[in-house]
């Protein structure tokens, strides 16, 4: 039987660095495609610990990177995220309180912990593998813009995950579990209409109203919901809708996201939405333009990998929360009008890969390339949905600190099994083939490069300064030319 105490101790030795990383990324709180400080700090910490940053800017995403250490098989991928959400900035108080920094962005989905957990596990594994002379290759992927669904899908299209034997990831939650469920695929469309301006009172008949086209489109799209499957979702954000009340608006723009149980289903409803956009243009004598800005595949579970990760979840969770931490969580629940249950202190049965959920993740494109599994762990109060200020608050204090350290142990122990147990890769690949039933990932993305993925010259200069600054912070000597 494998002794996991040594890999636990390696995580504990790195616990200060793990929390330092989580805290810095929490403070930076940069939204997707703008994660210059977070990306630089995370990659520099890996370099400090002996990983080589061999690639940056994968798939047209300038803040992405791949860090590699080791040699030989198996090759294990570990996924990192670091983007925050707009409007969710908060202080580390159990009340809705602006962040002291004034930053209105916040880690309301805990991506600062995703970053620190994955990198913490990688650092501990590298140290343990060196001591024990274990063969294997660790590849850590810095993945931007998960919240915009414009990260791993474009990296996958560029071939970033080819050659992996297994990929592992992690995600904070109000519960303890494993990501062994089937989540939705999705597409994002930008729909625009162009009309004709006119004085809205004197001669409105001379104008053609683009906002009316958008209204017709949204009404019809909402009617489409009746014909959507139960796990499908539809949401939209109005981006532009006129500049003055007394001018017939000649331009309107909306972002609409459709989520469905498969890529095939998304393609079907994407075509329907395009037809609705055309119809709205015809109805208002405006011209429409539809652009697919991103798309991701559904996440496919993997029962053999899930059993491995779940076994270690039970080893390190539930966390023994203090009375003060439970009280902190209950204060958040009280302010949000939720039952005051505190933090999760149980582990429910392991879900199977057939369980359906309505959410999406760009991890889906990874799971269509290689057997993939993630640990899901308690880091915010029970009953609180993600993308809330209360989640942000927890991820900057002791609750988040305990969560990321324990989760790093789960990932590290899971990878240790893949490195040391006899033939641990075949069963996940057999399940992978069974789940995919011969289907392949043809990518739902169309734009090259991805929108916003390439930094402007001024931004690129700032990012390079962030990289140099982080390297200097960690005492990394840069090569001289």
């Amino acid at each position: 039987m494998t002794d996991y105490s040594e890999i636990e101790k390696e995580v504990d030795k790195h616990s200060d660095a793990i929390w330092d990383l989580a805290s810095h990324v929490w403070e930076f709180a940069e939204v997707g495609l703008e994660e210059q400080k977070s990306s630089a700090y995370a990659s520099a910490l890996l370099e400090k610990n002996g990983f080589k940053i061999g690639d940056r800017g994968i798939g047209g995403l300038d803040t992405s990177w791949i860090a590699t250490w080791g040699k030989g098989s198996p090759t294990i991928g570990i996924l990192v995220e670091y983007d925050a959400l707009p409007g969710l900035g908060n202080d580390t108080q159990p009340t809705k309180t602006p962040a002291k920094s004034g930053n209105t962005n916040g880690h309301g989905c805990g991506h600062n912990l995703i970053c620190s957990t994955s990198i913490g596990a990688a650092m501990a594994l590298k140290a343990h593998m060196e001591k024990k002379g274990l063969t294997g290759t660790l590849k850590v992927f810095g993945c931007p813009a998960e919240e915009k669904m414009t990260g791993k899908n474009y990296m996958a299209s560029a071939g970033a995950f080819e050659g992996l034997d297994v990929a592992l990831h992690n995600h904070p939650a109000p519960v303890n579990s494993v990501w062994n469920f089937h989540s939705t695929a999705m597409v994002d469309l930008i729909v625009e209409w162009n009309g004709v301006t006119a004085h809205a009172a004197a001669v409105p008949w001379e104008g053609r109203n683009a906002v009316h086209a958008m209204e017709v489109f949204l009404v019809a799209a909402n009617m489409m919901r009746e014909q959507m499957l139960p796990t499908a979702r539809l949401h939209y954000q109005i981006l532009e809708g006129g500049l003055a009340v007394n001018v017939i608006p000649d331009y309107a723009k909306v972002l609409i996201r459709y989520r469905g149980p498969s890529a095939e289903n998304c393609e079907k409803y994407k075509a329907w939405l395009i037809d609705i956009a055309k119809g709205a243009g015809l109805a208002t004598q405006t011209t429409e333009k539809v652009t697919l800005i991103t798309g991701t595949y559904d996440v496919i579970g993997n029962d053999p990998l899930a059993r491995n990760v779940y076994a270690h979840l039970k080893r390190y969770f539930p966390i023994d929360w203090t009375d003060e931490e439970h009280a902190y969580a209950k204060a958040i629940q009280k302010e949000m009008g939720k039952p005051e249950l505190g933090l999760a202190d149980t582990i429910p049965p392991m879900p199977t890969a057939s369980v359906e959920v309505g959410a999406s993740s760009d991890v889906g494109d990874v799971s269509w390339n290689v057997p993939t599994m993630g640990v899901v762990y308690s880091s915010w109060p029970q009953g609180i949905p993600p993308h809330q200020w209360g989640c942000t608050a927890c991820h900057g204090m002791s609750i988040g600190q305990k969560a990321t350290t324990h989760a790093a142990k789960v990932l590290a122990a899971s990878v240790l099994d893949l490195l040391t147990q006899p033939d641990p890769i075949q069963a996940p690949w057999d399940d992978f083939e069974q789940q995919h039933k011969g289907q392949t990932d043809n990518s739902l993305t169309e734009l090259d490069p991805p929108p916003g993925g390439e930094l402007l010259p001024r931004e690129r200069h700032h990012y390079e300064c962030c990289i140099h600054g982080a390297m200097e912070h960690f005492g990394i000597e840069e090569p001289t030319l």
Side-chain angles (χ1 to χ4, degrees):
M1 179 178 289
T2 303
D3 179 6
Y4 299 101
S5 62
E6 292 187 58
I7 193 67
E8 292 174 32
K9 291 176 183 176
E10 289 296 344
V11 174
D12 287 334
K13 287 177 185 176
H14 289 86
S15 60
D16 287 345
I18 291 170
W19 184 237
D20 173 79
L21 175 59
S23 298
H24 273 83
V25 175
W26 187 90
E27 288 284 352
F28 296 149
E30 299 164 299
V31 297
L33 305 176
E34 299 177 16
E35 320 97 312
Q36 296 169 32
K37 294 178 183 178
S38 302
S39 170
Y41 200 86
S43 63
L45 178 58
L46 283 166
E47 280 196 274
K48 173 67 174 177
N49 283 270
F51 284 76
K52 180 181 179 181
I53 309 297
D55 298 278
R56 290 190 186 271
I58 303 102
L61 297 163
D62 281 349
T63 55
S64 66
W65 42 261
I66 302 174
T68 305
W69 180 86
K71 60 182 179 179
S73 297
T75 300
I76 308 299
I78 302 176
L79 308 182
V80 171
E81 298 171 11
Y82 29 67
D83 59 321
L85 286 156
L88 294 182
N90 209 81
D91 194 11
T92 53
Q93 300 295 323
T95 58
K96 191 173 184 180
T97 309
K100 290 184 177 72
S101 65
N103 192 346
T104 59
N105 305 326
H107 279 284
C109 206
H111 291 194
N112 65 313
L113 304 188
I114 294 177
C115 180
S116 58
T117 296
S118 288
I119 290 178
M123 293 188 300
L125 282 161
K126 184 254 186 185
H128 184 75
M129 291 169 70
E130 282 184 318
K131 289 180 181 178
K132 298 297 182 180
L134 297 178
T135 301
T137 302
L138 303 177
K139 300 190 77 171
V140 185
F141 296 85
C143 308
E146 190 277 338
E147 296 293 357
K148 293 185 175 180
M149 300 294 174
T150 309
K152 302 174 196 70
N153 45 348
Y154 282 92
M155 294 172 72
S157 295
F161 306 107
E162 293 176 3
L164 296 182
D165 290 298
V166 165
L168 294 177
H169 64 108
N170 73 94
H171 207 294
V175 297
N176 300 304
S177 189
V178 288
W179 195 302
N180 194 38
F181 40 77
H182 181 220
S183 61
T184 53
M186 55 73 61
V187 289
D188 274 357
L189 304 174
I190 290 285
V191 189
E192 303 165 272
W193 293 267
N194 285 280
V196 179
T197 60
H199 193 292
V203 285
W205 49 86
E206 294 291 340
R208 295 295 180 266
N209 196 317
V211 169
H212 286 173
M214 181 170 64
E215 290 176 305
V216 170
F217 171 79
L218 293 176
V219 168
N222 280 317
M223 288 181 173
M224 187 183 77
R225 293 178 190 272
E226 186 179 50
Q227 278 69 54
M228 288 164 43
L229 294 172
T231 53
R233 303 286 187 270
L234 186 72
H235 13 260
Y236 50 82
Q237 177 187 5
I238 295 172
L239 301 176
E240 296 192 43
L243 299 174
V245 70
N246 60 342
V247 178
I248 298 293
D250 66 345
Y251 182 70
K253 181 179 181 180
V254 65
L255 166 63
I256 191 160
R257 174 172 291 180
Y258 175 80
R259 307 180 196 244
S262 66
E264 182 182 20
N265 177 269
C266 284
E267 293 282 10
K268 173 183 174 182
Y269 282 84
K270 179 186 77 173
W272 192 339
L273 288 167
I274 291 172
D275 283 345
I276 293 173
K278 292 177 180 176
L282 288 171
T284 54
Q285 294 191 340
T286 59
T287 57
E288 86 290 339
K289 178 183 177 183
V290 181
T291 305
L292 174 69
I293 59 170
T294 194
T296 66
Y297 266 65
D298 43 320
V299 177
I300 300 296
N302 190 289
D303 287 339
L305 277 181
R307 285 191 288 270
N308 172 274
V309 176
Y310 185 76
H312 295 298
L313 175 76
K314 292 194 294 182
R315 184 184 303 277
Y316 301 114
F317 286 83
I319 293 172
D320 185 16
W321 305 108
T322 66
D323 291 342
E324 291 77 13
E325 287 161 342
H326 275 300
Y328 185 99
K330 290 177 181 179
I332 293 172
Q333 290 161 334
K334 181 177 181 179
E335 182 157 334
M336 290 191 177
K338 302 291 185 179
E340 295 175 37
L341 303 174
L343 296 154
D345 54 8
T346 61
I347 299 177
M350 188 191 89
T352 63
S354 61
V355 173
E356 301 278 348
V357 299
S360 309
S361 170
D362 60 6
V363 171
D365 286 72
V366 183
S367 75
W368 277 79
N369 282 271
V370 59
T372 303
M373 186 46 55
V375 58
V376 176
Y377 51 94
S378 171
S379 71
W380 71 74
Q382 297 180 79
I384 301 296
H387 297 195
Q388 292 271 6
W389 63 264
C391 306
T392 302
C394 290
H395 297 149
M397 48 80 71
S398 66
I399 293 172
Q401 183 175 9
K402 285 184 177 179
T404 187
T405 304
H406 282 69
K409 292 178 180 180
V410 175
L411 280 188
S414 300
V415 174
L416 184 60
D417 285 345
L418 296 171
L419 295 171
T420 59
Q421 291 186 358
D423 197 22
I425 306 299
Q426 188 59 50
W429 274 98
D430 289 343
D431 191 84
F432 175 90
E433 298 296 341
Q434 181 180 353
Q435 294 278 354
H436 289 74
K437 301 174 182 176
Q439 296 176 301
T440 57
D441 170 16
N442 296 316
S443 182
L444 288 171
T445 63
E446 292 181 356
L447 297 182
D448 184 23
E454 293 185 340
L455 300 173
L456 299 173
R458 176 178 54 81
E459 296 170 329
R460 184 182 298 275
H461 175 72
H462 180 255
Y463 182 42
E464 290 172 355
C465 290
C466 291
I467 293 171
H468 297 317
M471 293 176 71
E472 182 178 355
H473 172 80
F474 286 112
I476 302 168
E477 293 186 8
E478 298 188 53
T480 55
L481 297 177

